[in-house]
Amino acid sequence: GQAILSVDNLCKPGAYDNISLEVRPGEIVVMTGLRGCGAPELAKAIFGLDGDYQGSATYRGDLLKPGRGPAAAVVQGMGLVTENRDKNGILPPLSVRDNIALPFLDKAVRGGILDADHIENVVTKAIRDTSTKTSSPDQEIRFLSGGNKQKICFSRWLDEDLELLILLEPTRGIDVHAKADIYRMIEDLEERGVGILIL
């Protein structure tokens, strides 16, 4: 099928050079390299967090505007799970509920008011579908294990509108059981037709 993401000769001096790839719906594309090979910078370029690159990237046939910002990426159906969940993936002072609900807030507004029932349904489903172990959705996320924090980072992108998910070292620093759950989620997304890029 037609590629959902096409990257053509993307270059950023000192980070990565001449990267070209395609990701199709329901396809998992994996790129590997040594630490420091530029994977986080590449992910940020695709997700709109960094506009300082040469080359081009198209998404669903449209040219991606460099540095358009993550809000635009989310609206387009993109998701990103970073390699450092404690630094870039979670908001430590907030609860599990708030960390899950953050990307969905705009969809939970009804007549200018947040629909608490909708948020609760999204949060409950996310915890269940990711097998996250938490005492309560009200628990502060910083007290969860590394594997459960990572599952919460994944749960943000299980929305039905997701079309492309970018993963940076998705199983880094988590135990074997959490890894199995992460792999299961990746397979479920693939079967649903989501394009997945693992860096």
Side-chain angles (χ1 to χ4, degrees):
Q2 186 176 359
I4 186 171
L5 172 71
S6 295
V7 173
D8 186 27
N9 290 320
L10 236 56
C11 305
K12 180 172 182 176
Y16 51 85
D17 189 40
N18 293 326
I19 302 293
S20 295
L21 60 88
E22 289 188 341
V23 182
R24 291 174 173 79
E27 181 178 57
I28 300 173
V29 175
V30 181
M31 294 184 67
T32 62
L34 298 174
R35 186 156 297 210
C37 67
E41 292 84 0
L42 178 62
K44 288 176 183 177
I46 296 170
F47 199 64
L49 288 163
D50 182 7
D52 185 23
Y53 61 83
Q54 299 169 339
S56 64
T58 58
Y59 179 69
R60 297 186 303 200
D62 296 324
L63 190 66
L64 288 175
K65 183 180 178 182
R68 67 202 180 283
V74 172
V75 169
Q76 291 174 312
M78 287 189 192
L80 171 66
V81 177
T82 66
E83 80 283 9
N84 190 330
R85 58 187 163 267
D86 289 314
K87 183 178 178 182
N88 310 104
I90 63 169
L91 296 170
L94 299 184
S95 67
V96 169
R97 174 186 287 103
D98 291 342
N99 270 272
I100 293 172
L102 206 56
F104 301 106
L105 289 180
D106 61 329
K107 296 180 181 179
V109 175
R110 306 286 186 267
I113 299 173
L114 277 177
D115 184 341
D117 289 337
H118 178 76
I119 291 175
E120 204 59 37
N121 290 337
V122 167
V123 170
T124 300
K125 185 177 187 302
I127 291 172
R128 182 188 67 236
D129 290 353
T130 58
S131 303
T132 298
K133 293 177 176 61
T134 178
S135 60
S136 152
D138 296 316
Q139 182 179 10
E140 289 183 35
I141 195 169
R142 62 194 174 107
F143 294 120
L144 297 186
S145 68
N148 284 301
K149 289 177 187 173
Q150 188 73 339
K151 291 178 190 179
I152 295 301
C153 292
F154 261 84
S155 72
R156 295 173 177 160
W157 309 118
L158 300 181
D159 185 76
E160 60 186 15
D161 294 332
L162 181 70
E163 295 189 44
L164 174 71
L165 182 61
I166 305 166
L167 304 173
L168 285 163
E169 300 184 54
T171 58
R172 175 182 172 187
I174 61 177
D175 65 39
V176 64
H177 298 294
K179 284 182 181 179
D181 287 333
I182 296 292
Y183 291 143
R184 174 184 55 79
M185 284 186 274
I186 292 172
E187 289 174 355
D188 288 346
L189 289 170
E190 176 205 12
E191 289 176 5
R192 210 176 80 191
V194 175
I196 299 171
L197 175 60
I198 302 178
L199 302 171

